[in-house]
Amino acid sequence: MTIDTFDGTSVKPSHWNLASVIEQLRVSREATHNIRHHGRVRELPSREALTIIVNGLQAVLFPTHYGRPNLTDESIDFFVGDTLNTTLNRLAEQVRRGLQFSSEEAIPNEEALTKQAHDITRQFAAGLPEIRALLVSDVQAAFSGDPAATSVAEIMLCYPGTIAILYYRLAHSLHRLGSPFLARLVSDIGHSLTGIDIHPGAQIGASFFIDHGTGVVIGETAIIGQRVRLYQHVTLGAKRFPADEQGVLIKGVPRHPIVEDDVVIYAGATILGRITIGAGSTIGGNVWLTQSVPPASNVSQAQMRND
């Protein structure tokens, strides 16, 4: 028997010594380097399915922008209801899959897992009006904060910061409701689309605006107040990673900045550690900041060089 290759040639399987490679891979997978949770094969959530789900949720939240532009007053509720029902059914299955990876404890039986997934999905659906209100505040902040913006539609369709925040707010809700793995997948899809990396565990208040956006990084334990504006390549990161006596990183420890209300952070600024940027402050471009600043501060690169 021969195998046809992409370039039209044919080779025998034995040419590659496949039997030996397959055997060694099996030993690695099953024994030597086994990383399966409790030795069990689990069905992973699907990125493709999650992309379809987020597209459906976008259409539900903003039907004429992300759904169908020709909707009427008579058809819009039917469209929202039908899309939401289909999308939530898909989401419940992905939540169920993701829950298998969310705990180091034994995986619950299928009935309990399905019930938990349905409970999370139901709570998620109940929170959609609140998510929409936050997103509207974000869009309004972009429109009022960017002199180049010509319309709300332009912001919702063309601004990567707006898309990234939409993905974040959906992912944050899933994270808060007890589906952290699925939340990370949703946020990573948003990251791939926009170049903006927001961990779903971060807490971000209303009227949040990321202008331009490429390269922005917001860590898991960051807390951002209301009416905050960031520019491209801003990092809200950790300064150090505490470890236990065995040298294993301690997870979940607050290690990212707190940014209070009405703060503006300009392009390229790097803010590290559990420090506080006081309300109403302005952080200039390319500033490297590892210490708290009081409210109404104006921190520039020249000031940092003088420290």
Side-chain angles (χ1 to χ4, degrees):
M1 183 183 72
T2 62
I3 299 174
D4 293 331
T5 64
F6 70 93
D7 61 359
T9 61
S10 298
V11 296
K12 295 181 179 180
S14 58
H15 181 80
W16 308 118
N17 196 22
L18 294 186
S20 174
V21 175
I22 292 168
E23 170 65 16
Q24 291 178 63
L25 288 173
R26 185 190 64 78
V27 171
S28 174
R29 188 174 63 248
E30 302 290 345
T32 314
H33 310 112
N34 188 344
I35 57 174
R36 290 177 182 168
H37 187 71
H38 298 295
R40 176 178 173 182
V41 176
R42 294 163 291 169
E43 194 173 12
L44 284 160
S46 164
R47 290 177 68 95
E48 292 76 14
L50 284 172
T51 298
I52 293 170
I53 287 166
V54 173
N55 288 340
L57 292 170
Q58 287 178 306
V60 165
L61 293 169
F62 301 98
T64 58
H65 288 90
Y66 299 126
R68 297 179 183 174
N70 60 344
L71 290 170
T72 65
D73 290 340
E74 291 76 23
S75 63
I76 193 166
D77 282 345
F78 176 83
F79 170 80
V80 169
D82 182 60
T83 304
L84 184 57
N85 184 59
T86 301
T87 301
L88 292 177
N89 284 329
R90 289 172 173 158
L91 178 61
E93 168 59 18
Q94 298 305 310
V95 171
R96 184 192 67 78
R97 295 186 188 188
L99 288 174
Q100 299 178 100
F101 299 84
S102 297
S103 173
E104 291 302 318
E105 301 175 358
I107 300 171
N109 62 54
E110 284 299 320
E111 183 179 351
L113 204 63
T114 299
K115 181 182 183 304
Q116 185 180 1
H118 285 179
D119 288 343
I120 289 173
T121 303
R122 190 177 298 109
Q123 293 177 68
F124 175 82
L128 287 175
E130 180 181 354
I131 292 173
R132 188 180 191 280
L134 286 169
L135 289 169
V136 168
S137 76
D138 300 327
V139 170
Q140 291 173 336
F143 187 72
S144 62
D146 184 2
T150 61
S151 67
V152 166
E154 179 190 7
I155 290 166
M156 297 183 71
L157 297 176
C158 304
Y159 279 43
T162 299
I163 300 299
I165 294 167
L166 189 153
Y167 273 77
Y168 156 76
R169 296 221 184 268
L170 294 173
H172 179 69
S173 179
L174 289 168
H175 187 278
R176 182 177 54 83
L177 291 170
S179 188
F181 182 36
L182 205 68
R184 275 308 297 270
L185 283 171
V186 171
S187 66
D188 188 60
I189 294 169
H191 179 197
S192 299
L193 288 171
T194 65
I196 297 168
D197 185 3
I198 309 176
H199 193 286
Q203 301 176 48
I204 302 177
S207 301
F208 182 49
F209 177 34
I210 302 175
D211 200 357
H212 304 294
T214 305
V216 167
V217 176
I218 300 174
E220 176 191 16
T221 63
I223 299 175
I224 299 175
Q226 299 187 61
R227 299 174 300 278
V228 170
R229 183 161 81 249
L230 308 182
Y231 287 82
Q232 67 270 24
H233 295 289
V234 166
T235 297
L236 302 181
K239 184 178 180 181
R240 60 177 60 91
F241 306 98
D244 62 20
E245 295 177 353
Q246 286 72 44
V248 178
L249 291 181
I250 301 172
K251 299 187 178 183
V253 176
R255 60 195 182 279
H256 299 101
I258 298 171
V259 180
E260 295 183 342
D261 297 346
D262 302 300
V263 169
V264 178
I265 305 176
Y266 283 98
T270 299
I271 302 173
L272 303 179
R274 194 57 162 189
I275 63 174
T276 299
I277 308 301
S281 294
T282 298
I283 309 300
N286 297 316
V287 164
W288 178 279
L289 189 59
T290 58
Q291 60 191 29
S292 295
V293 298
S297 296
N298 193 334
V299 182
S300 69
Q301 196 176 16
Q303 288 172 317
M304 300 311 296
R305 285 199 298 268
N306 291 332
D307 287 342

